[in-house]
């Protein structure tokens, strides 16, 4: 896209370690942007970076969904808007 607009890019291939650091930093950045704007575009950006983090760490979307479903089954989810305030005993 940049080249098609007549501009030149300077790029670098990151090591696996550098890439993971970059992805983690990008997650923080995208989450901050979502907190600021709270729109679907920022959620889409955040989701894209989560997908990149999954793949970079050797997981699949299916792995994520399986773990998410297991945790929701054991601990509940957020759809009912219930806030656990305290556990007594």
């Amino acid at each position: 896209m940049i080249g098609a607009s007549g501009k030149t890019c300077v790029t670098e291939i990151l090591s696996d370690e550098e890439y993971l650091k970059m992805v983690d930093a990008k997650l923080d950045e995208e989450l901050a942007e979502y907190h600021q704007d709270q729109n679907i575009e920022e959620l889409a950006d955040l989701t894209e970076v989560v997908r990149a983090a999954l793949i970079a760490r050797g997981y699949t979307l299916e792995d994520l969904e399986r773990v998410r479903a297991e945790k929701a089954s054991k601990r509940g989810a957020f759809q009912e808007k219930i806030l656990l305030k305290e556990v007594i005993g």
Side-chain angles (χ1 to χ4, degrees):
M1 290 178 5
I2 295 170
S5 71
K7 298 178 183 177
T8 303
C9 324
V10 176
T11 62
E12 172 185 357
I13 304 299
L14 301 173
S15 69
D16 291 344
E17 183 178 328
E18 291 169 322
Y19 180 71
L20 287 171
K21 285 181 185 178
M22 185 277 307
V23 168
D24 288 343
K26 191 68 173 170
L27 275 170
D28 292 338
E29 175 189 326
E30 294 300 341
L31 182 58
E33 289 175 7
Y34 170 72
H35 283 304
Q36 180 179 352
D37 297 335
Q38 296 184 344
N39 61 40
I40 196 165
E41 288 82 9
E42 296 304 338
L43 284 172
D45 291 346
L46 188 56
T47 302
E48 189 62 32
V49 180
V50 167
R51 291 183 76 211
L54 280 167
I55 293 166
R57 288 181 169 81
Y59 300 116
T60 66
L61 288 171
E62 292 78 15
D63 294 332
L64 177 65
E65 178 54 26
R66 178 183 42 77
V67 171
R68 186 212 58 78
E70 288 171 2
K71 290 184 82 170
S73 174
K74 290 177 186 173
R75 299 181 184 179
F78 295 94
Q79 287 78 16
E80 294 182 32
K81 302 178 186 173
I82 298 170
L83 173 63
L84 175 63
K85 296 179 81 173
E86 184 177 0
V87 176
I88 300 171

